[in-house]
Amino acid sequence: MRVAVIGQGYVGLVTAACLGEWGHEVVGIDADAAKMARLQAGQSPIREPGLDELIERHLDDGLLHFSSDIRAVSAAQLVMVAVGTTDADGGWQTGTMRAALNDVVPLVSDDGVLAIRSTLPPEFVRQLPAFVGAIREANGLAPIPVMLNPEFTRESTAVSDFLTPDRVVIGIASDPSGRGLKVMRRLYHEIDAPVVVLKAVDACLAKLASNLFLATKISFANEMAALCDAFGGTVDEVVAAVGLDPRIGPAFLRAGIGFGGSCLPHQVRMVSRMGDALGIQTPLISAVHQVNERQRTQFVDRLREQLGGSLAGRRIALLGLTFKPNTDDLREAPALTIAELMLAEGAEVCAYDPAPGVYARVAAILPGLYFAPSWREALDGADAVGLVTEWPELVALDWEAAAGLMRQRIVVDGRNVLSVARLVDAGFTYVGFGRGVASLEDGVGLAGAAIDHPAPSALRATMLTGARPVAAEQ
Ligand code: UDX
């Protein structure tokens, strides 16, 4: 099938490249001519595992093209639109979508189909068929089917999420002849997963609901972490036990500094705002947002507390800047808020990220931040280290060597991914989220040690002589 994908950001580019895998002929279209020229030469603007290979393969076999010429849509049987719908302030905006539709809809052939892949505000979904119909009519053209096809891909696994999805959701905004649904089913004929066909507003709400639920699970885990810290519990153990219940499941229950990225924070905030604006009560979603914001502040609170009540003049190593590992995406990255808070308190913050390509972008936002070419340089002479993004190489770094480089051995683990026992054994005071505080000196709050088996001998000795029941049970 001949497909045009309008908008070559994360969503559009992954869609275009992956469709080549199923033998579709795809043209990726974006107004940014320089970006399209680079893509046509095989250079991807984003870091996404597996994407470069797909682009190269389908440029080579001629299934994939990139163009900044919107007229390329006229040859397509299916035109997918994947332009941005968020504003700089975390709200919805439909201006870009409306402008794209004004340009694209008159060029879609009479036997073409339009499918929106962007996340849309439900209000706009209701207006969509009339909006598209009016453009067709004003240009003296026949109506075309209007479909929704929300995406559920995660960054860093977007290619495999696309090619082997859990489900495909198709929303019908306007499809009196059934041609739209037929074309969408043909598009996905290769997949081995349920294809859920819904009316458009339900497809839109299903997309929102998925992300809102994931965000709720994370904030719930963070709330449990606060209880664990208060009562000497270990959140990892608690959620592992809870997640065995198939009605709950283990995914998205990792406590820490909370969710970032382009989808979860925006959609939580947008739904909360939309509720306020329309008089719809969404207290649960508002609380999910509040908990998420609080986690970032708590990360800084933990560092300050371990450093005797002030960050002024302290040197802090910040490990990880991107919102999650294996991406170079900084959108809503918790590291940015955390670094900003620490700089405002007079700390000297030196960041290291395994994707150093992000440094220039971060420097433009946070001019006071230092950047290190390696983790060793970030940690050299630091009073404390904060792990913000769980890149595998940061989790697995040589923590014994790290301890030797630092002025004080304090670590705040923003992702609950480090081995408490190993860090304590290396001489660190360890603080996570819902894992207590662990150190060799005072044996305070050794809750986290319970999850590390076998515990190193020095830590075990402290645990066994400690009065805490968790130690006695080992
Ligand atoms: C998300 C949705 O998962 C995806 O379905 C949708 O299409 C786009 O938005 P993405 O933003 O790529 O994907 O990242 P995701 O893997 O969902 O993680 C979002 C954030 O939550 C990250 O900052 C991650 O670190 C955090 N997270 C995730 C937690 O804090 N705890 C967890 O248990 C899981």
Side-chain angles (χ1 to χ4, degrees):
M1 194 189 312
R2 287 187 308 280
V3 185
V5 184
I6 312 294
Q8 291 296 288
Y10 278 89
V11 173
L13 179 53
V14 168
T15 302
C18 287
L19 286 177
E21 284 293 279
W22 296 336
H24 300 301
E25 275 175 62
V26 191
V27 56
I29 301 173
D30 196 291
D32 185 340
K35 181 161 124 183
M36 291 305 94
R38 283 196 299 274
L39 272 167
Q40 191 60 41
Q43 292 160 24
S44 168
I46 57 172
R47 177 183 176 132
E48 186 63 43
L51 184 62
D52 289 357
E53 292 82 343
L54 290 194
I55 293 172
E56 193 186 328
R57 185 178 318 147
H58 299 305
L59 284 172
D60 281 356
D61 65 18
L63 287 174
L64 183 60
H65 292 95
F66 295 98
S67 172
S68 55
D69 186 350
I70 194 84
R71 287 171 302 183
V73 303
S74 55
Q77 294 154 285
L78 173 65
V79 179
M80 305 183 85
V81 183
V83 297
T85 50
T86 55
D87 67 16
D89 190 31
W92 297 109
Q93 59 85 16
T94 53
T96 313
M97 177 61 69
R98 287 172 197 270
L101 292 176
N102 274 321
D103 290 344
V104 167
V105 169
L107 299 171
V108 180
S109 72
D110 283 352
D111 56 3
V113 172
L114 183 74
I116 310 294
R117 196 140 170 83
S118 315
T119 304
L120 293 175
E123 191 59 23
F124 184 67
V125 171
R126 293 205 297 201
Q127 302 162 13
L128 187 63
F131 186 81
V132 173
I135 300 172
R136 296 292 291 181
E137 202 179 320
N139 287 276
L141 297 165
I144 47 169
V146 182
M147 315 296 285
L148 255 57
N149 180 213
E151 55 86 28
F152 298 94
T153 51
R154 293 160 296 175
E155 282 178 35
S156 81
T157 53
V159 168
S160 59
D161 287 349
F162 188 98
L163 294 173
T164 52
D166 304 317
R167 79 293 206 193
V168 165
V169 171
I170 296 172
I172 302 177
S174 167
D175 188 24
S177 69
R179 179 160 55 89
L181 185 55
K182 222 152 106 191
V183 163
M184 294 309 292
R185 284 195 189 280
R186 245 182 85 200
L187 184 78
Y188 287 109
H189 74 280
E190 292 267 356
I191 65 149
D192 179 21
V195 175
V196 185
V197 180
L198 301 170
K199 62 179 193 260
V201 71
D202 288 341
C204 157
L205 290 169
K207 158 74 188 189
L208 280 181
S210 295
N211 283 345
L212 295 177
F213 191 69
L214 293 172
T216 305
K217 281 188 95 175
I218 298 170
S219 282
F220 177 83
N222 283 326
E223 202 99 303
M224 290 304 108
L227 292 182
C228 287
D229 278 329
F231 295 113
T234 310
V235 74
D236 316 59
E237 304 281 19
V238 172
V239 298
V242 168
L244 289 172
D245 183 332
R247 293 170 300 173
I248 298 172
F252 273 70
L253 287 174
R254 186 163 42 79
I257 49 173
F259 52 83
S262 62
C263 283
L264 267 46
H266 262 94
Q267 283 162 23
V268 164
R269 208 180 297 125
M270 286 190 283
V271 168
S272 179
R273 280 189 201 170
M274 185 177 70
D276 289 348
L278 300 176
I280 307 162
Q281 307 249 309
T282 54
L284 177 63
I285 305 306
S286 303
V288 166
H289 173 62
Q290 278 166 24
V291 171
N292 200 49
E293 298 282 296
R294 185 194 67 189
Q295 297 308 107
R296 290 145 165 74
T297 319
Q298 284 191 351
F299 182 89
V300 180
D301 293 344
R302 275 152 212 239
L303 277 167
R304 191 191 310 104
E305 203 174 299
Q306 292 304 318
L307 288 166
S310 170
L311 288 175
R314 299 308 189 117
R315 183 167 174 174
I316 313 292
L318 200 61
L319 296 183
L321 289 168
T322 55
F323 87 95
K324 69 187 224 185
N326 299 313
T327 174
D328 55 3
D329 197 340
L330 290 166
R331 286 177 288 178
E332 302 262 357
L336 303 182
T337 316
I338 286 168
E340 191 180 5
L341 290 170
M342 293 197 298
L343 290 171
E345 292 191 32
E348 187 185 301
V349 186
C350 185
Y352 169 70
D353 192 282
V358 302
Y359 287 175
R361 279 184 281 146
V362 180
I365 311 166
L366 295 167
L369 198 64
Y370 294 99
F371 300 95
S374 72
W375 62 265
R376 285 177 188 277
E377 276 150 289
L379 289 166
D380 199 10
D383 291 299
V385 53
L387 180 79
V388 177
T389 317
E390 69 281 27
W391 285 87
E393 53 263 65
L394 296 180
V395 177
L397 65 76
D398 183 346
W399 285 102
E400 289 72 23
L405 293 168
M406 294 175 65
R407 194 151 53 193
Q408 294 187 71
R409 295 168 181 179
I410 294 167
V411 61
V412 176
D413 177 0
R415 295 296 185 182
N416 277 7
V417 286
L418 301 177
S419 157
V420 183
R422 178 169 175 207
L423 271 281
V424 169
D425 213 30
F428 280 93
T429 295
Y430 173 96
V431 194
F433 284 78
R435 289 176 149 199
V437 179
S439 72
L440 277 180
E441 283 81 44
D442 50 19
V444 177
L446 283 169
I451 63 164
D452 289 301
H453 302 288
S457 53
L459 178 61
R460 184 169 288 276
T462 315
M463 287 159 60
L464 291 173
T465 53
R468 293 172 53 80
V470 65
E473 283 163 18
Q474 292 304 300

